[in-house]
Amino acid sequence: MDPWQVTHADRGERATLIHARYIVPVRPAGIVFDEHSVAIRDGLILGVKPRSQAERDWPLAAAVELPDHALLPGLVNCHTHSPMTLLRGYADDLDLHVWLKEHIWPAEREFVGPEFVRDGSMLAIAEMFRSGTTCFNDMYFFPDATIEACVAAGMRASIGITVIEIETAWARDAGEYIEKGMRLRHQYGDEPLISFAFSPHAPYTVSNATLSRIAGLSSDLDIAVHMHLLETEWEIKQSFQQHDRHPLGRLEQLGLLNSSLQAVHMAQLSEEDIDKVARAGVQVVHCPQSNLKLASGFCPVTSLQQAGVNVALGTDGAASNNDLDLLAEAQTAALLAKGVSGDARAGSACEIIEMLTLNGARLLGLGDRIGSIEAGKQADFCALDLSAPETQPLHHVMSQLVYAASSRQISDVWVAGRRVLDAGRLTTIDIDDVLERARSWQVKLAGLENRRLLAQRQESAS
């Protein structure tokens, strides 16, 4: 007997059966189960069976009816800056460096602290739950506040030990960023929903000495390294000017180009670069909407996958996207894969759903726990109501999920068996309080922007 399957002696006590019209388990690949049920207990998946058989095996289990729905593994957002939801729409239609240096970084210097980060993280978590995301990777300051928000709301997260050579309210220098992050990792080491990764911001904001130290710690402690990489052409030019080598060559020299590296964006890759990345075992996070909005370039996803590289999806922060809607990101990724490769078969619905789920889980080192609906894994799910006009008639479930469905059709979400979204209602978050806090930050940020514009006018007049 499967060791995870509840025994007949239990008869399903304390178990729950989720009866779904369709189940997309992700493994086996490309399969959709019709009229099946998932049994869960104590946060784990006990089994997936035809409804009639599940009801015989677990007659005492509680039941959840999803008669018009597809049940998927919870979506995995592999790259975001969750507190930056408070900067959504703050500085749009600008290139990356103007956006950062003239708008985002000044706003962060003015306002970022524990309260800003907690309020922004909770707003992000609410948005992600409502769009089917059950796990995200974060890179930001005051990560302790993000962790507190995740634990309170019941969200799964990989928390970045952010490192940058710029003094902020969180840390004075790279050494303090690392030390404070490592203390948090020790403090929350037993928290089941939280894991960690080193997050040096980018090659152009972190020194050789710091990157070498991170490479050593990553190897010694078996911690992944999550970094913005090859996002713009400027980054490559800057690397040759300051270091006399390509960013990939520099990371290779410093011991970071290996299977522990989670490379975000990768929009400036040559064929030679793709081969080097594949041989090193690097994993890639594709953020198509952010790359498009900032005119950063195109990640060659199809070529990376053909070379054997694991590619997952991320939204980036809401300041550059402008949302955390991973399902919308998936549709963009599918269409962009076809346009960039010139192959209509590229970015198939099945491949994109894997990028949304299991590929992301594997990238974050959680592939044995989440990312597919299999006995023994954590009960992380999202349910999408397919009865809406936008997804009818229903010829192919996976195609409708990728090309036609929207996050507004997400009805229910579970994390480790806890139902955090119940028929569209958030069960662990006071959404009225979250929205009121967001509005208060909007007023503060508007004041800063008005002062900036006034200073510009005064400078022009003089």
Side-chain angles (χ1 to χ4, degrees):
M1 178 182 288
D2 186 327
W4 293 102
Q5 181 174 305
V6 68
T7 64
H8 287 287
D10 290 324
R11 310 300 289 170
E13 290 182 14
R14 297 186 297 109
T16 298
L17 284 176
I18 303 174
H19 304 299
R21 179 67 175 85
Y22 304 102
I23 294 175
V24 182
V26 178
R27 284 292 176 268
I31 295 296
V32 176
F33 293 133
D34 192 354
E35 297 286 5
H36 273 54
S37 304
V38 180
I40 64 174
R41 186 178 66 178
D42 298 331
L44 294 175
I45 300 170
L46 303 173
V48 183
K49 296 187 177 184
R51 176 170 182 154
S52 58
Q53 184 178 348
E55 290 177 327
R56 287 196 303 270
D57 288 351
W58 295 289
L60 301 181
V64 175
E65 298 288 348
L66 299 173
D68 300 304
H69 301 65
L71 188 72
L72 293 83
L75 310 185
V76 182
N77 187 345
C78 284
H79 180 70
T80 191
H81 312 280
S82 62
M84 294 182 82
T85 50
L86 296 178
L87 294 167
R88 191 196 319 268
Y90 180 69
D92 282 342
D93 303 324
L94 300 167
D95 70 50
L96 176 63
H97 295 286
V98 172
W99 177 77
L100 278 174
K101 293 181 179 180
E102 296 184 16
H103 299 271
I104 299 303
W105 285 349
E108 289 178 329
R109 282 193 296 271
E110 182 81 13
F111 293 116
V112 170
E115 186 181 6
F116 179 97
V117 170
R118 189 187 185 283
D119 291 349
S121 296
M122 196 62 83
L123 179 63
I125 293 166
E127 181 180 355
M128 286 190 277
F129 278 164
R130 283 163 51 89
S131 53
T133 294
T134 58
C135 178
F136 71 103
N137 180 88
D138 208 48
M139 177 194 286
Y140 209 66
F141 312 111
F142 294 93
D144 51 336
T146 297
I147 293 170
E148 290 170 9
C150 288
V151 172
M155 170 63 92
R156 195 182 302 278
S158 172
I159 299 296
I161 299 173
T162 300
V163 184
I164 194 168
E165 305 287 352
I166 299 171
E167 181 177 359
T168 66
W170 171 242
R172 294 185 304 274
D173 54 34
E176 188 175 9
Y177 283 106
I178 292 172
E179 289 157 15
K180 294 181 81 169
M182 294 300 288
R183 284 200 296 271
L184 278 179
R185 178 175 176 266
H186 177 74
Q187 179 182 349
Y188 288 96
D190 295 328
E191 172 53 56
L193 294 178
I194 303 298
S195 56
F196 290 86
F198 285 113
S199 293
H201 173 261
Y204 55 88
T205 54
V206 185
S207 68
N208 280 355
T210 299
L211 290 175
S212 291
R213 183 181 177 193
I214 290 171
L217 289 169
S218 170
S219 177
D220 292 344
L221 301 173
D222 192 25
I223 305 176
V225 177
H226 187 93
M227 176 189 283
H228 299 110
L229 185 60
L230 298 184
E231 186 172 1
T232 64
E233 290 183 2
W234 173 90
E235 179 185 327
I236 298 174
K237 293 176 183 177
Q238 187 268 359
S239 184
F240 276 108
Q241 289 170 357
Q242 292 196 3
H243 304 284
D244 197 30
R245 63 183 63 238
H246 190 279
L248 290 180
R250 181 173 166 230
L251 294 185
E252 187 174 33
Q253 181 187 42
L254 296 171
L256 282 168
L257 199 71
N258 53 46
S259 59
S260 294
L261 181 61
Q262 302 167 359
V264 184
H265 295 300
M266 299 294 268
Q268 306 294 328
L269 286 167
S270 68
E271 290 185 11
E272 182 181 350
D273 295 335
I274 292 170
D275 182 60
K276 179 178 285 190
V277 165
R279 284 188 284 107
V282 173
Q283 300 185 84
V284 170
V285 184
H286 181 32
C287 303
Q289 290 190 356
S290 177
N291 290 346
L292 287 168
K293 187 177 179 221
L294 294 172
S296 298
F298 305 102
C299 178
V301 171
T302 302
S303 296
L304 285 165
Q305 291 175 324
Q306 289 172 347
V309 176
N310 181 41
V311 181
L313 286 172
T315 58
D316 211 345
S320 64
N321 185 310
N322 292 22
D323 57 48
L324 305 180
D325 185 343
L326 205 55
L327 202 59
E329 205 78 31
Q331 185 179 99
T332 302
L335 299 177
L336 199 56
K338 301 173 193 306
V340 170
S341 68
D343 183 354
R345 296 167 298 178
S348 70
C350 179
E351 290 171 338
I352 294 297
I353 287 173
E354 290 192 3
M355 289 171 66
L356 277 172
T357 56
L358 189 56
N359 287 12
R362 287 170 172 166
L363 184 138
L364 298 181
L366 300 172
D368 60 337
R369 302 178 64 190
I370 62 173
S372 58
I373 302 178
E374 300 178 80
K377 284 196 169 184
Q378 296 279 304
D380 288 15
F381 313 122
C382 65
L384 191 145
D385 187 347
L386 292 170
S387 66
E390 292 82 359
T391 44
Q392 291 293 321
L394 187 57
H395 299 297
H396 301 286
V397 171
M398 287 191 183
S399 291
Q400 294 293 63
L401 291 172
V402 172
Y403 298 115
S406 85
S407 61
R408 293 187 299 276
Q409 293 169 257
I410 298 288
S411 63
D412 298 85
V413 173
W414 289 259
V415 180
R418 184 182 188 185
R419 199 172 185 177
V420 295
L421 188 73
D422 184 347
R425 181 182 64 86
L426 292 163
T427 66
T428 62
I429 295 173
D430 182 345
I431 192 59
D432 292 332
D433 179 66
V434 168
L435 293 175
E436 180 58 34
R437 290 173 183 271
R439 284 189 285 268
S440 72
W441 285 111
Q442 186 274 327
V443 172
K444 295 174 186 177
L445 285 157
L448 176 64
E449 185 66 6
N450 289 338
R451 293 195 299 273
R452 186 189 69 81
L453 292 172
L454 178 60
Q456 274 187 344
R457 285 196 291 268
Q458 290 173 341
E459 184 178 349
S460 297
S462 63

